[in-house]
């Protein structure tokens, strides 16, 4: 019997980047901390044993802190897309009208999902024009709460059952004002549920499920939580739980009732994502140990540094409204005539740096620089440098050095409450 | 600024078993190989980059080999339960009649799911009696294909759209004959789709999706594939893909169409489970490197050794029909008066050994010994020894030494094609 | 440029055991806890940075607890053999007489080393006979302190500069009484230094550097400390430090002076073993968290269980004196006519279980069963079962079932202070 | 008995950098590839078993390729300092004269070691002056082979037994011409052995043990081999092996004879560094897979980029002779009045970037930027940016942007044979 093997095998090597550390600067998944990766590699345990219950209770309590809620949080073995479906399927019935708002590609995908599930979405959008992106003016701005208020006021029969908006639009780099949406609904005295996708916002941008009166918040593991993909989240409100009792969309995997009941003791009705939960336990230790306000300030400071670079280059930032700049990613519109995807390819091949592509209506027109999760000043300067070198290789004329602007930003004094700490 | 921290923190320790290696002998998740755990801890990559495409194509091709199919395999970020829902939601319409068969707890859960999704399941069961488990005679036997044939013959209008059975019933340790079910459907000349749950069978017990004419096979990552939980699988047939075109159950996350289209290049419509796919790549290298026939023979040999022990104790094996003994797990009926869960607790506390509990109708009446995945002879002897010591501590009189019987089995000559190799 | 590679490469697979967990039951290196392996895989840091200093101070303080000493402990990037050389080179001068005691193969190797270094060792040995091992009667017993006392009394000129003994003889399974050796030296009113090899004893068997008046204790990482090999240790006494000031054996790498000085702040004069120190930090957390008395009791209980098996088989235990049975390993003498190494080979090939070989004078005559480090009851029962099956395959007649005897032992009530805890 | 623990424990956290990836830019240990770290975390195996022999033979063969030698390579569990001692102790006798050359701090430490070991070193040094560093002119230049030749010519009695030089002086960033030293010895027709420290050169800078006629080359694991510290290497020549037969310095741990004999089958006389050998196996796959010429070209290109930055700043490079610039690290002389260590501290605290300190005579006068091992263009740009921001924070006036100069370099076309590949 062979006890060892020097064998010739056709194998896929999983870690075959060129030398050195890959710069994963897409707006999620972002870089996963070394501690989290190691935690995830511990042996799988019995999901019905006592050790697991302690783990389950811990991560559920920690996630409530992250969502800033006192109400139940549901964790799915799924992508964020699954958590979108869970939010709709638990609260709505076939044919229900929902009011959605087009902030970008992901808002659009969520709207398409609602169609597939048999809902009747109405898709509001920014009504102004945009010179730079005439085909997608709304993809440069946040949710316009006044449009929502106006529409709800007209819905005197309360046919609209839910308002669905995206908090941080990953395809554009715009972080909408959720409190304003809540106020709009309240101003219209409308009973619609408020459902918010904060898949790429949570744990990077400030987010307050209870204070903002959100009924269902959707999130995912691979962004601010600094984990690999594989888990979706729903944070609930009492009204959402109430709605679930009468909602008639068929659901089983996504059904909150059994999960919430079993979560009380830290268990799940079906086999949960054990090793990703190890990682979540570790990332919660890191995030809550640092303190959420510092985490948010850190991302704001990073984002400002990256925007300083884009401004120095003289390239337009995708988000046209500075009050809703995303702390998570910055979209950059490519000069006309430049194929943003060809540019990304050059940057990837020459500098081992991954950037986000332009999605949907913006294909080839823009690229996205992620500045989320387990990162730091020098990593972001390196990203800016990689993009700047790529722009030059692509022949794009630049107004000035973005790297210099980013360095000026990052070398400036840090307010005490922004300091990177863990 | 603090650069290090000797800090007093309330932490959950993730690896706090008593000393030594925990014996995870539940029927899944089973022990994950060290290689797989390390592969899973490599840094997450861009799920839209070229390296990912190569990974995607590799694991999809490998999974087709494991399912023994030439048709598409779909991989979900989900538990196996999600893959159940995917199978139903893609192929059926609200109110459709489906024929299901009660082999145990998981067959029952699947049936309940079909009700929640708005289907009309008819739940066949073994019609004989059982002295030992009068409340669950069917939970000691496999699917009775003749009952299915008879029922389908009566369905001359072809109202029944699908036959749903469980291949390896994880709650009992019975591995039904799927080829016989196919023959029964064919004999009845009935067009119903055949859907099979092989969540705990695949990659441990022989399974032939194409040869057996299965339309949808459901599987999960945490059993024979030797991975942590977090991925569900559907293997498809051309008829299943055809049915999906007209099926009207609402679906989005589970919808095959977009996934199968994008999988062609190794990508997914939403963010897949990157780090679990690393693990899958590694476990496929191990399984296909060993060769499936050897993998199956290995499990058969293990199972026979464990059954030898149970027989020596004089305790009844849950599965009453030797032709459908499971190679994955062995259910053992506790002597009357013995609370099987109290017994399991003693064994866990004293010997750091996790066994499967009695589920549903069998709560407290039986326990399950897993012998799947990354295991070997001595690990199974240790499991048998832990159970035997626990039985004695619980005051259960034993006919003879099960450990001795297992050792006699494992020390016997090994046929060439059973030899453990990698 | 290639971004990924499906390449045909001649590779050595590092983890190519047959399926399942290898049983590493040699008397060191033993099984390394999963937590320790993960800690070792964290990124290497600057050995001159502030974070490193904190690590250094922590592990040095922890090692003083483990040695039960208030005096300096020196950590070398080396095997235990290097720490032997360090002890001699720091305290002695060319031509110095040293009194050593032959307890087995490792005592012999240390004596040979002293010759290579230019010392004049006198090698005492047990003077009685042994029927079973007539060529190595002393390899079945501990250090006879009265012989040492007598020899030292005769050395009225104090030519002998050091007494060197092995605490736990890894080649035999005998744990000598070090306190008795100290008493013998004191009774002879002799100024010789006492140097003790506790490479395989430390952190498994009780060991008290200060209380027993040891001047230099030698240890290694890969035994009771539950680490991979790669670090050697010297625990010092004030007298040893004093002796180092005048000792004239050439030394540089091993020289205590600079190391002890720099260790004060947690640093080293040359680059230390950073990643193994991560592992040490983790294993110290585990050992000191459990408490040394429990660690020692755990090993004693394990050892008694293994000896119960050997006694049941009717095979002679290598250690002929029950008062010095080792809690770390048990040597077993093979029946005459049985080649112990052929037996070990069968056991390795059939059951993926590694045992220790017979060393030096005992080659082929005995084998060694390790029961140290990160282990537990069921793992040891599995080891016993593997050996028992191997003995049967080799045709060795056994008096009774050793597995049964071990199970009787391990299923007996556990005194409170022996309970496995972490 | 507790089965899990939410416990309050005083723990040292091993991975407590501020957020994101630390930039470890000291000239070794450098960044360790993720693959290597994972390989090192696989379970320890029996160092006497068959699997280990295959591992041993593989890494020994691989190391011969790296040293470019057909003769034996010896691997020690030790730091590089230990391998220095091994070279001297195996080949020399007490009182032997050795000719050493002061190129910097490490050459000086080696010379001090030779004194401690009882040798009589003669320490040559560059005889010219240097305005910038009047106290250490020789620390800005390589070995002057003509001085060596002249000295050997005067040694007509061949009292000098060895010439000892440092290939890549880690304290300065100077890579001496070893072939020239060989020529000098040959020109003087002197039989002295040539011993070379390439601890920080090997596997980053071109090095040819056989072609250059070196008798003993000393190396370490934590530099170009991309491993954590913990292993030292000696590459031998037939003349060195011959010299070892009569050399009389006491030695045991370092003695080549037994190691070389046992290495034939892939084993060691004492317990080797198993888990670091796993890492070595992996890094050899990476280095030899890329091909040494590409590895060397990669480092040359990196070094040129870093020097372009230093030149742009207008700061003096420590190495005054461009023909011996190191491809591994670049020393930078701080402007007078600037405390280089205070500067390093600012950079570490603000930018989580570790740089090398000024050692010995250069304390506080310079700092060292490492560009070795598992790195890439963007990582080096980030390092340059971190230093540049730190210089500004320290108030150092800079002539121009070093970051811009580095980017100009790294964005320039790459000659085909320099391309980063794996």
């Amino acid at each position: 019997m062979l006890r060892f093997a020097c064998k010739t095998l056709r194998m896929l090597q999983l870690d075959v980047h060129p030398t050195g550390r890959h710069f994963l600067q897409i707006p999620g998944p972002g870089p996963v901390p070394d501690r989290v990766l190691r935690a995830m590699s511990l042996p799988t345990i019995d999901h019905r044993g006592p050790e697991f219950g302690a783990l389950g209770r811990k991560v559920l309590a920690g996630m409530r802190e992250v969502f800033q809620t006192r109400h139940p949080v549901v964790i799915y073995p799924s992508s964020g897309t699954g958590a979108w479906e869970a939010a709709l399927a638990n609260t709505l019935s076939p044919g229900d009208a929902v009011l959605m708002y087009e902030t970008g590609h992901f808002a659009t995908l969520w709207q398409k999902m609602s169609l597939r599930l048999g809902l009747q979405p109405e898709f509001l959008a920014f009504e102004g024009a945009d010179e730079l992106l005439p085909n997608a003016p709304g993809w440069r701005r946040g949710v316009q709460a006044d449009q929502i208020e106006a529409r709800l006021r007209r819905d005197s029969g309360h046919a609209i059952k839910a308002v669905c908006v995206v908090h941080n639009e990953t395809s554009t780099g715009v972080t909408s004002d959720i409190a304003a949406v809540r106020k709009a609904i309240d101003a219209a005295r409308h009973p619609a549920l408020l459902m918010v996708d904060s898949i790429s916002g949570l744990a990077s941008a400030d987010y307050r499920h209870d204070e903002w009166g959100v009924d269902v918040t959707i999130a995912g593991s691979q962004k601010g939580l600094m984990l690999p993909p594989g888990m979706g989240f729903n944070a609930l409100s009492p009204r959402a739980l109430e709605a679930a009792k009468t909602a008639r969309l068929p659901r089983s995997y996504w059904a909150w009732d059994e999960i919430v009941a079993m979560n009380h003791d830290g268990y799940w009705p079906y086999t949960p994502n054990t090793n990703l939960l190890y990682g979540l336990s570790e990332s919660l230790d890191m995030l809550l140990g640092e303190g959420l306000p510092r985490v948010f300030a850190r991302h704001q400071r990073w984002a400002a540094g990256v925007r300083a670079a884009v401004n120095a280059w003289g390239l337009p930032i995708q988000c046209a409204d500075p009050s809703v700049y995303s702390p998570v990613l910055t979209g950059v519109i490519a000069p006309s005539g430049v194929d943003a995807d060809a540019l990304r390819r050059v940057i990837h091949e020459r500098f081992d740096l991954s950037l986000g592509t332009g999605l949907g209506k913006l294909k080839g027109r823009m690229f996205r620089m992620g500045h989320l999760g387990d990162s730091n000043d020098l990593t972001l300067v390196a990203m800016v440098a990689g993009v700047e070198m790529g722009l030059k290789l692509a022949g794009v004329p630049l107004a000035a050095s973005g790297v210099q602007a980013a360095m000026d930003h990052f070398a400036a004094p840090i307010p005490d409450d922004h300091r990177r700490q863990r």
Side-chain angles (χ1 to χ4, degrees), chain A:
Chain A
M1 199 182 316
L2 270 178
R3 311 300 300 173
F4 55 85
C6 286
K7 51 184 161 182
T8 305
L9 251 192
R10 185 169 172 80
M11 294 186 72
L12 180 81
Q13 293 296 99
L14 286 174
D15 181 29
V16 289
H17 299 294
T19 61
R21 188 81 174 173
H22 179 68
F23 284 80
L24 182 67
Q25 299 298 142
I26 58 174
V32 179
D34 288 306
R35 276 174 66 182
V36 170
L37 290 169
R38 268 64 173 187
M40 281 177 47
S41 77
L42 285 169
T44 306
I45 55 173
D46 179 4
H47 55 295
R48 303 281 178 227
E51 194 176 13
F52 194 93
L55 171 66
R57 291 188 300 272
K58 179 199 161 171
V59 296
L60 288 164
M63 284 309 298
R64 284 194 294 272
E65 286 193 59
V66 170
F67 277 110
Q68 305 194 39
T69 184
R70 286 167 306 121
H71 304 298
V73 170
V74 174
I75 305 178
Y76 295 106
S78 78
S79 71
T81 300
W84 271 350
E85 183 162 324
L88 302 175
N90 274 286
T91 54
L92 300 168
S93 299
D96 273 356
V98 292
L99 192 62
M100 304 183 100
Y101 198 97
E102 182 184 352
T103 43
H105 187 63
F106 289 98
T108 306
L109 288 178
W110 199 12
Q111 182 256 0
K112 284 186 183 161
M113 171 184 271
S114 74
L115 279 170
R116 283 196 83 144
L117 295 179
L119 302 171
Q120 301 202 6
E122 182 176 343
F123 207 27
L124 298 184
F126 174 68
E127 291 167 351
D130 189 86
E131 261 182 61
L132 263 171
L133 294 179
N135 72 324
W139 290 36
R140 301 196 62 199
R141 283 140 184 107
V143 173
Q144 307 295 312
D146 54 351
Q147 281 179 272
I148 290 178
E149 182 177 340
R151 179 65 190 86
L152 292 179
R153 283 188 191 277
R154 289 199 310 274
D155 180 37
S156 53
H158 294 173
I160 294 170
K161 299 303 177 198
V163 174
C164 299
V165 294
V166 173
H167 174 226
N168 185 73
E169 185 40 91
T170 320
S171 65
T172 64
V174 173
T175 307
S176 288
D177 182 345
I178 301 305
V181 176
R182 174 77 270 164
K183 269 187 216 149
I185 299 172
D186 290 351
R189 297 177 182 259
H190 196 287
L193 295 171
L194 173 57
M195 304 214 251
V196 179
D197 162 355
S198 189
I199 290 175
S200 62
L202 191 80
S204 296
D206 193 6
Y207 191 84
R208 308 173 183 209
H209 181 81
D210 284 5
E211 185 183 324
W212 295 347
V214 183
D215 293 300
V216 188
T217 303
I218 292 104
S221 57
Q222 76 273 28
K223 314 277 182 173
L225 292 172
M226 306 190 296
L227 296 168
M231 290 196 303
F233 301 87
N234 277 182
L236 312 182
S237 75
R239 286 192 64 223
L241 284 161
E242 196 58 34
K245 292 182 184 161
T246 54
R248 297 189 325 277
L249 270 180
R251 61 185 173 277
S252 173
Y253 186 74
W254 309 116
W256 293 334
D257 49 5
E258 286 185 51
I259 299 174
V260 170
M262 288 200 64
N263 274 183
H264 188 261
D265 297 322
Y267 297 94
W268 271 260
Y270 40 77
T271 317
N273 241 337
T274 309
N275 290 52
L276 265 176
L277 292 175
Y278 295 164
L280 179 59
S281 168
E282 202 74 12
S283 75
L284 286 169
D285 284 346
M286 294 170 85
L287 290 167
L288 300 176
E290 183 178 0
L292 292 180
R294 282 178 188 278
V295 171
F296 302 147
R298 176 157 55 75
H299 283 81
Q300 291 290 359
R301 186 174 160 274
W302 288 344
V306 172
R307 288 194 304 268
V310 180
N311 287 331
W313 291 329
L315 295 180
I317 290 173
Q318 169 79 15
C319 178
D321 175 0
S323 74
V324 288
Y325 279 150
S326 169
V328 174
L329 76 146
T330 297
V332 181
I333 301 178
S336 73
V338 172
D339 175 351
D341 285 334
L343 172 70
R344 285 175 53 250
R345 210 170 307 121
V346 166
I347 290 170
H348 187 232
E349 288 188 2
R350 274 299 294 271
F351 304 112
D352 205 17
L353 162 62
S354 291
L355 298 169
T357 188
L359 291 164
K361 293 180 183 177
L362 300 183
K363 183 155 179 49
R365 288 290 293 125
M366 57 88 72
F367 60 90
R368 293 171 294 145
M369 301 165 79
H371 30 82
L372 73 162
D374 193 47
S375 192
N376 56 26
D377 295 5
L378 283 197
T379 298
L380 297 181
V381 170
M383 169 179 69
V384 167
V387 174
E388 185 164 313
M389 289 189 281
L391 287 164
K392 286 193 179 172
L393 287 171
V396 177
L398 301 177
S401 166
V403 174
Q404 189 58 56
M407 284 167 54
D408 290 345
H409 175 84
F410 287 120
I414 306 177
D416 238 35
D417 60 341
H418 282 229
R419 294 180 86 84
R420 301 161 305 151
Q421 281 199 332
R422 187 161 292 162

